[in-house]
Amino acid sequence: MTSTHAFWLAGRQATGEAAFDVTSPWDGRVVGRVSVPTEAQVEEAVAAAHAVIDEFAATPAHVRAAALDHVSKRLVERTEEIAQLISAENGKPIKWARGEVGRAVSVFRFAAEEARRFNGGDAQRLDTDAGGQGRLALTRRFPKGVVLGIAPFNFPLNLCAHKIAPAIAVGAPIILKPAPATPLSGLILGELLAETDLPAGSWSVLTVPNEQMPALVKDERLPVISFTGSDKVGYAIMDSVPRKHCTLELGGNGAAVVLADFASEQDLDWAATRIATFSNYQGGQSCISVQRVIADASVYDRLLPKIVAAVEAQVTGDPSDSATDVGPLVSEDAAQRVESWVDEAVQGGAKLLTGGKRDGATYAPTVLTDVPADVTLACEEVFGPVLTVTKVDGEDEAFAAVNDSKYGLQAGVFTHDLQTAFRAHRALEVGGVIVGDVPSYRADQMPYGGAKQSGVGREGVAFAMDDYTYERVLVLTGLAL
């Protein structure tokens, strides 16, 4: 019989009156059973977080940093166990799951380092005008209040880390809601946080069902919301609480541009391999996976067969097998949606070069060309292992094609030319431009977020810390400067 996993309420384990099963998208087996907090328990967690705001903000930096360091080290010690858990509940191939644990290790380590540096303050002389003689302004940052972190299923450990670690680093209490499909990884972080000396009310991990979230989102005691997920849900949250501070990390349909100067066989082999890998890793379920390839006409005919061959070389199968590159999507419903979008594109005139087949929750790595501009696949985020390839004439047409989207998360530009790189940085309406590689590259310490409908605000530890805090100025008078 499967034991029931408790949630974490104000630093302690608790169980509610109901529970739900977490199942593997690969074989349907029950991975775990998770308890659901009652409304009274949710209220208790919110009240505890609100009550500890001042205490937690005043916690010495070394205490917060030590807690973050502890979590980082414990993640290292339990890497294989946690990777297997991620793979089981998410369907992520084990090699990618191990990589995700490694990234979470870094996120907590970065946060510990930033916690030690945070809030030293910036001093500014005010005697630049006569009225400011003898005055000095000291500006420091303070938490805006309790953070409500809402995490998605596709990176069930690392994106929980990106909510929790910056909050602890600045001394902001946090209530984390992991995705219902993949809550076990977030609960593991609760286990590790419980081993620290943080104030009890400063964190909770609540497995709240999605349908109960509107009331929590609207609670005035939770002034900061950090959400990662779909644009539809993210903007619905923002619209429902217009006076709250919302950080929204939303969708994308990442483009990889291959320009005319990236033309040697070695160049094209590299581009094709990176494109194939990162259109399919995580089953394509990443906001910055490669969905669109935009290739200059001068390289298109040589690049396309290389991409198809590299995609066909991706190993699809059991996510627990270290040889597997592409596992299942998070559910059969998700795979059926991808299947319907590809079918619509083919019926509209697109050419299917490889893939296009579904087996339960698994969808074969797929490449299409000549995709009509008005089909769903061309306009929306596919969030599956599907890639479209388009031919363009020149840099201007390529950059215009990237920008012809409601999304603007990241773009990759394969070029050797430094001037082209800077033009891309200026021209592309995205949150990040990756030169010489795919849009899927993300270092967890760099600013990460989008333009247009890809979101608001930035993650990346130091940047999220800024998002969770505000400047407060202290003016000292009568000083001999």
Side-chain angles (χ1 to χ4, degrees):
M1 183 175 179
T2 303
S3 60
T4 300
H5 294 261
F7 50 86
W8 293 91
L9 194 168
R12 72 178 193 280
Q13 286 188 307
T15 56
E17 299 170 356
F20 63 93
D21 289 335
V22 179
T23 58
S24 164
W26 169 247
D27 56 16
R29 66 187 171 91
V30 175
V31 178
R33 188 164 176 79
V34 176
S35 186
V36 177
T38 65
E39 290 185 9
Q41 289 170 319
V42 173
E43 166 58 29
E44 183 181 349
V46 174
H50 189 259
V52 81
I53 288 174
D54 292 340
E55 176 189 350
F56 194 33
T59 302
H62 71 86
V63 173
R64 287 178 275 116
L68 293 161
D69 273 330
H70 174 83
V71 175
S72 180
K73 292 172 183 176
R74 292 287 283 137
L75 286 170
V76 172
E77 294 169 358
R78 297 178 64 177
T79 290
E80 189 60 25
E81 170 203 348
I82 297 171
Q84 290 182 12
L85 181 65
I86 292 170
S87 184
E89 69 172 343
N90 174 276
K92 181 174 299 193
I94 188 66
K95 68 179 181 181
W96 295 117
R98 291 178 182 129
E100 180 174 349
V101 180
R103 289 181 61 187
V105 168
S106 296
V107 168
F108 279 95
R109 186 182 75 249
F110 295 151
E113 295 166 357
E114 292 294 344
R116 293 184 175 97
R117 289 191 286 264
F118 177 69
N119 225 359
D122 294 320
Q124 181 182 21
R125 293 181 68 134
L126 301 181
D127 61 352
T128 50
D129 289 314
Q133 187 168 333
R135 297 180 187 268
L136 182 78
L138 178 66
T139 303
R140 294 191 293 160
R141 301 190 70 89
F142 294 86
K144 293 173 180 173
V146 183
V147 177
L148 174 60
I150 307 172
F153 70 81
N154 57 330
F155 289 86
L157 180 74
N158 196 43
L159 292 184
C160 286
H162 271 286
K163 310 299 182 191
I164 292 174
I168 292 173
V170 301
I174 181 165
I175 294 174
L176 176 75
K177 179 213 177 294
T182 57
L184 302 177
S185 303
L187 293 174
I188 284 282
L189 290 178
E191 289 184 33
L192 305 186
L193 289 169
E195 298 169 355
T196 72
D197 295 326
L198 296 175
S202 62
W203 61 273
S204 292
V205 182
L206 301 181
T207 47
V208 179
N210 289 343
E211 58 268 21
Q212 294 182 18
M213 284 304 294
L216 200 54
V217 164
K218 292 179 182 178
D219 194 306
E220 293 183 357
R221 294 167 294 179
L222 308 175
V224 179
I225 297 174
S226 178
F227 170 85
T228 302
S230 73
D231 56 327
K232 179 180 178 181
V233 175
Y235 285 116
I237 289 173
M238 177 176 278
D239 290 344
S240 72
V241 287
R243 295 189 181 184
K244 287 194 177 190
H245 178 87
C246 294
T247 299
L248 305 179
E249 299 300 334
L250 308 177
N253 55 2
V257 177
V258 184
L259 293 175
D261 71 296
F262 212 82
S264 72
E265 291 302 311
Q266 183 179 5
D267 285 342
L268 296 180
D269 286 342
W270 162 257
T273 299
R274 296 294 285 177
I275 287 166
T277 298
F278 289 97
S279 64
N280 294 293
Y281 86 126
Q282 327 289 339
Q285 297 169 120
S286 168
C287 297
I288 48 176
S289 68
V290 185
Q291 182 171 333
R292 300 181 291 156
V293 175
I294 298 164
D296 190 87
S298 63
V299 298
Y300 179 90
D301 289 338
R302 288 190 296 141
L303 176 64
L304 183 58
K306 291 177 182 289
I307 290 175
V308 173
V311 167
E312 290 178 340
Q314 296 286 301
V315 178
T316 302
D318 186 344
S320 67
D321 187 337
S322 294
T324 297
D325 299 309
V326 187
L329 275 68
V330 72
S331 67
E332 187 165 355
D333 285 347
Q336 289 173 342
R337 177 191 55 76
V338 172
E339 179 182 43
S340 70
W341 288 14
V342 172
D343 289 349
E344 177 199 17
V346 171
Q347 290 165 10
K351 294 179 181 177
L352 179 66
L353 302 186
T354 191
K357 297 178 181 178
R358 180 179 66 84
D359 181 6
T362 299
Y363 196 79
T366 297
V367 180
L368 303 102
T369 60
D370 301 331
V371 176
D374 59 347
V375 299
T376 308
L377 185 61
C379 305
E380 300 292 339
E381 178 181 35
V382 66
F383 225 60
V386 177
L387 182 66
T388 68
V389 187
T390 303
K391 182 192 299 185
V392 294
D393 289 316
E395 176 188 309
D396 290 344
E397 188 174 329
F399 291 172
V402 174
N403 290 339
D404 186 19
S405 170
K406 67 180 181 179
Y407 297 113
L409 192 46
Q410 293 196 160
V413 180
F414 288 90
T415 182
H416 296 295
D417 188 88
L418 185 60
Q419 293 292 347
T420 299
F422 273 87
R423 285 196 297 271
H425 197 206
R426 184 180 302 110
L428 298 180
E429 298 165 353
V430 295
V433 178
I434 314 300
V435 175
D437 205 350
V438 291
S440 317
Y441 176 79
R442 178 185 179 184
D444 290 286
Q445 72 270 38
M446 77 183 197
Y448 176 75
K452 299 190 283 190
Q453 291 189 36
S454 285
V456 178
R458 292 293 181 268
E459 288 192 340
V461 176
F463 303 91
M465 290 168 67
D466 282 347
D467 242 15
Y468 293 170
T469 56
Y470 70 100
E471 301 94 341
R472 186 186 298 166
V473 64
L474 173 71
V475 177
L476 302 174
T477 304
L479 302 178
L481 296 175

